[in-house]
Amino acid sequence: MSSDDLGDLPGLSIEEAAKRLSTQTVSAVELTQAVLERIQEADPRYQAFLTVDRENALAQAVEADRRLKQGAATALTGLPVAIKDNIITRGLRTTCASRLLENFVPPYDATVVTALRQAGAVIVGKTNLDEFAMGSSTENSGFFATRNPWDIERVPGGSSGGSCAAIAFGGGTFALGSDTGGSIRQPASFCGVVGCKPTYGRVSRWGLVAMASSLDQIGPVTKTVRDGAIALAAIAGHEPRDSTSSSAAVPSYIEGIEGGVKGLKIGVVPGLVEHPGVHPGVADVMAETRSVYESLGARFVEVELPHLEYSLSSYYIICPSEISANMARFDGIRYGVREQGDDMWDSYRKTRERGFGPEVVRRIITGAFALSAGYHDAYYKKASQVRTLIARDFERAFESCDTLLMPVTPTPAFRLGELIDEPLKLYLADVFTVSLNLAGLPGVCFPAGTVDGLPQGVQLVGRPLAEKTLFRIARAFEKNTSWSLADRLATHAGRLG
Amino acid sequence: MEIKRQQILDLAELVRVELSEAKADSFRSDLNKTLHFFENLKEVDTSDIPPTARVFEGDSELRDDTVVASLRTDEIAAMAGDAMDPEESVFTLQGVFDSLNR
């Protein structure tokens, strides 16, 4: 196969690639080789990957071809997947983009990884993130920042910036990310791809290195909405080892996805995009999205989320509080780097100081403060009470609509270095995403336009376990517009990189 | 609420992270800005509102109390390096009670 023929393979969606594999137009080995070559060629520019596992990926591809020939394939057999590096993979280095875990090789797979292996997907590598998923730009990675494939002077977003950038430039057919306060949806918006944060408990957290245990969820990053539906179905489901896992049956998300939006009610919060911090282009994209849905027969209703403006404070108290507990396991004894101090406590202090980056330390200290005696009620308890009110606001809103349409980010992708020295400003950029995590609700982000030439997504928010509805509504927009990744790439000579 | 440098250093001690005074000052500045932002929560009336620790209530799923395979000692030793004595199958560390200087 010549390099010209390889050209379009990394750009294929899950469905397109699966079709070629099933008709044997291309083999899993050829597809994997094409993606690996794309990574080799383009990733030095974007730095989306921390580890590329060429040898094992090709071995998996050989096995996938065997399954395809035997007629034992699934929807994901033979498809190259990139996995965010806070999801553990047996025998494959998992760093969480932290110096503390620089050489950590897990002895077991996360549940989602087991699911992908059983489906026959091909793991090509582990993607970059903000260290321990703490950040919104991937600049907090302990190793290097990832660059936005649409403009390498800009961030891809975070913390799943590596996964989203990889899918944008063809470094995988799909990817997995994790979302605690927007970490799939925000980079998906910045990179022009589809990102899904499932309902809390929909996807097992077994093997996801915990950041904030009541907020974290793993979700798919894909090139199309239909792909998102396929990928989520493969990783969703009950998990006996995750006590927060939902036992609800996993529906077929792809069935009925072309059902359209006629008669559906889409809620919008008035005044949301009129805040001074919101780029006017974002408001324009929201308005255009609304026009499209109205032309397709959806009806818009106004809803109130009276406590939405407090969601950032609530989140940035609760999240660091849980972080301070979850990061306590990194003591340098059982795994990770180890610094020898004068005594055990000194060793702990030195290990953690050496291993953790500044944002991780900042959040641990903030969380410890919020939980400490004398401050716990004013901060953690208060934030948790406001969380209850935010969840109730959404519950009330869904009495009058089927989904909520909200912006994902107040601006398009910002420049590298622009916000890294201003932690609070970076937190403020999460204003539209954190409320879903606080309330445990699902959200699907999909590309809906451009702002200053950069991709801009919007998000649909659903009731608990309403992913099927969200995919259907998102698909209606994708089908009737030209903002999908493939459509946008058509204006970039077919590829980024 | 204005947090002081010594409070940051005390918190760093509690969370077992070594922090220089310069870094403590930097974190103090960041934390004070963040705490100032959190002041908006005082505007919210939360009387009689229960806190949410877990969004979807319900009993935690428990598995059957059966013995299942766990990690092998060699796999654990590979992670722990020289912190593990493979013959004794124990982790070795500096004495907990050796020093009262925390």
Side-chain angles (χ1 to χ4, degrees):
Chain A
M1 180 162 270
S2 73
S3 59
D4 285 344
D5 297 324
L6 287 172
D8 72 327
L9 291 183
L12 295 177
S13 68
I14 288 176
E15 286 191 299
E16 289 165 342
K19 188 169 174 190
R20 293 217 198 171
L21 290 171
S22 69
T23 56
Q24 295 177 37
T25 319
V26 73
S27 70
V29 168
E30 286 167 336
L31 176 60
T32 300
Q33 274 173 336
V35 167
L36 288 169
E37 282 178 33
R38 174 64 56 83
I39 293 170
Q40 189 171 7
E41 180 197 356
D43 199 49
R45 218 158 115 82
Y46 305 126
Q47 301 191 119
F49 282 86
L50 289 167
T51 304
V52 179
D53 192 19
R54 182 181 182 86
E55 196 178 309
N56 285 312
L58 288 169
Q60 290 163 43
V62 167
E63 171 58 22
D65 276 328
R66 189 189 63 76
R67 275 178 77 165
L68 283 156
K69 283 194 173 71
Q70 287 178 345
T74 71
L76 299 181
T77 302
L79 301 187
V81 59
I83 297 182
K84 185 177 182 182
D85 207 22
N86 61 347
I87 298 170
I88 63 172
T89 42
R90 182 180 179 167
L92 181 57
R93 189 179 77 133
T94 299
T95 68
C96 300
S98 177
R99 293 275 172 210
L100 195 137
L101 295 177
E102 198 167 6
N103 295 307
F104 175 62
V105 180
Y108 64 95
D109 278 330
T111 298
V112 294
V113 174
T114 301
L116 291 181
R117 290 197 203 271
Q118 284 174 351
V122 173
I123 299 169
V124 292
K126 308 300 292 296
T127 55
N128 200 15
L129 62 154
D130 288 291
E131 187 181 1
F132 287 108
M134 299 182 205
S136 306
S137 65
T138 312
E139 293 171 293
N140 287 327
S141 167
F143 302 110
F144 41 77
T146 296
R147 293 171 180 271
N148 191 317
W150 298 95
D151 179 341
I152 60 167
E153 300 303 319
R154 292 181 189 263
V155 303
S159 61
S160 308
S163 285
C164 292
I167 296 314
F169 78 72
T173 308
F174 69 108
L176 292 188
S178 72
D179 192 310
T180 303
S183 286
I184 288 175
R185 292 164 284 145
Q186 184 252 35
S189 175
F190 283 0
C191 292
V193 297
V194 177
C196 170
K197 175 223 163 299
T199 306
Y200 181 79
R202 179 72 288 183
V203 177
S204 169
R205 291 182 300 110
W206 177 263
L208 171 67
V209 178
M211 174 182 162
S213 305
S214 81
L215 302 165
D216 295 338
Q217 269 295 277
I218 293 172
V221 175
T222 54
K223 297 172 189 176
T224 69
V225 172
R226 288 180 61 96
D227 280 5
I230 293 167
L232 180 62
I235 60 172
H238 180 57
E239 161 72 81
R241 293 168 296 188
D242 175 357
S243 66
T244 61
S245 171
S246 169
S247 53
V250 179
S252 164
Y253 296 119
I254 200 77
E255 202 180 293
I257 199 171
E258 303 292 342
V261 296
K262 254 199 183 67
L264 284 183
K265 284 184 282 183
I266 302 178
V268 285
V269 179
L272 206 56
V273 290
E274 280 130 40
H275 192 276
V278 180
H279 192 296
V282 172
D284 291 342
V285 169
M286 284 289 292
E288 278 298 314
T289 305
R290 177 171 175 162
S291 296
V292 168
Y293 277 122
E294 283 174 328
S295 74
L296 295 174
R299 206 155 55 81
F300 276 76
V301 296
E302 286 192 349
V303 297
E304 296 289 338
L305 294 175
H307 300 94
L308 191 68
E309 67 180 283
Y310 304 105
S311 57
L312 273 175
S313 293
S314 175
Y315 175 84
Y316 275 107
I317 290 171
I318 292 171
C319 181
S321 296
E322 296 185 5
I323 283 169
S324 71
N326 279 324
M327 293 294 114
R329 73 195 67 195
F330 297 109
D331 55 16
I333 302 298
R334 292 156 297 160
Y335 37 70
V337 300
R338 187 177 310 121
E339 280 289 328
Q340 197 78 351
D342 296 331
D343 58 29
M344 190 182 77
W345 307 111
D346 196 42
S347 297
Y348 283 176
R349 284 192 291 269
K350 287 184 158 57
T351 294
R352 288 156 68 78
E353 192 278 333
R354 179 187 152 193
F356 287 147
E359 183 59 27
V360 176
V361 176
R362 189 177 290 120
R363 293 198 190 197
I364 292 172
I365 287 180
T366 304
F369 170 79
L371 291 170
S372 61
Y375 299 108
H376 170 277
D377 281 7
Y379 289 98
Y380 182 77
K381 184 179 172 189
K382 183 76 176 181
S384 301
Q385 289 170 306
V386 171
R387 182 177 187 179
T388 303
L389 293 172
I390 290 167
R392 288 180 183 175
D393 284 353
F394 277 108
E395 230 177 280
R396 210 168 295 119
F398 286 126
E399 287 169 6
S400 52
C401 65
D402 298 297
T403 184
L404 282 168
L405 175 67
M406 286 175 61
V408 181
T409 61
T411 67
F414 41 89
R415 294 189 176 282
L416 285 155
E418 188 176 332
L419 296 180
I420 196 61
D421 294 324
E422 310 241 22
L424 180 58
K425 274 195 180 161
L426 207 42
Y427 298 166
L428 294 177
D430 295 336
V431 62
F432 297 128
T433 50
V434 298
S435 55
L436 277 74
N437 302 84
L438 289 169
L441 300 175
V444 171
C445 166
F446 53 92
T450 57
V451 178
D452 298 339
L454 296 161
Q456 187 69 30
V458 295
Q459 65 177 332
L460 294 167
V461 187
R463 297 186 183 94
L465 301 173
E467 289 86 354
K468 192 174 167 74
T469 302
L470 299 185
F471 283 128
R472 177 179 143 205
I473 299 172
R475 174 60 187 150
F477 181 91
E478 181 184 74
K479 184 157 86 169
N480 288 283
T481 57
S482 304
W483 291 117
S484 73
L485 180 67
D487 290 325
R488 289 271 293 142
L489 287 176
T491 64
H492 273 104
R495 52 178 272 187
L496 294 164
Chain B
M1 168 79 220
E2 273 275 322
I3 199 163
K4 299 180 177 36
R5 179 207 274 177
Q6 190 54 48
Q7 285 175 290
I8 298 283
L9 290 169
D10 290 343
L11 285 165
E13 181 55 37
L14 277 175
V15 300
R16 312 289 181 218
V17 178
E18 190 170 81
L19 212 57
S20 67
E21 289 196 348
K23 273 194 179 161
D25 284 337
S26 170
F27 285 135
R28 175 175 167 262
S29 168
D30 294 335
L31 187 50
N32 277 329
K33 285 181 196 161
T34 311
L35 290 177
H36 181 69
F37 180 76
F38 293 160
E39 292 284 307
N40 68 352
L41 289 184
K42 289 182 182 166
E43 298 165 11
V44 186
D45 181 4
T46 49
S47 326
D48 301 321
I49 304 294
T52 291
R54 179 177 166 175
V55 277
F56 302 126
E57 290 309 317
D59 293 335
S60 289
E61 293 278 342
L62 301 176
R63 67 176 176 85
D64 292 337
D65 188 15
T66 53
V67 174
V68 295
S70 183
L71 296 176
R72 297 192 315 264
T73 310
D74 62 305
E75 289 174 322
I76 299 168
M79 285 193 290
D82 57 15
M84 187 172 182
D85 180 334
E87 283 181 26
E88 299 282 337
S89 291
V90 294
F91 290 95
T92 57
L93 55 151
Q94 290 161 292
V96 175
F97 303 108
D98 283 352
S99 170
L100 294 174
N101 293 326
R102 298 188 176 193

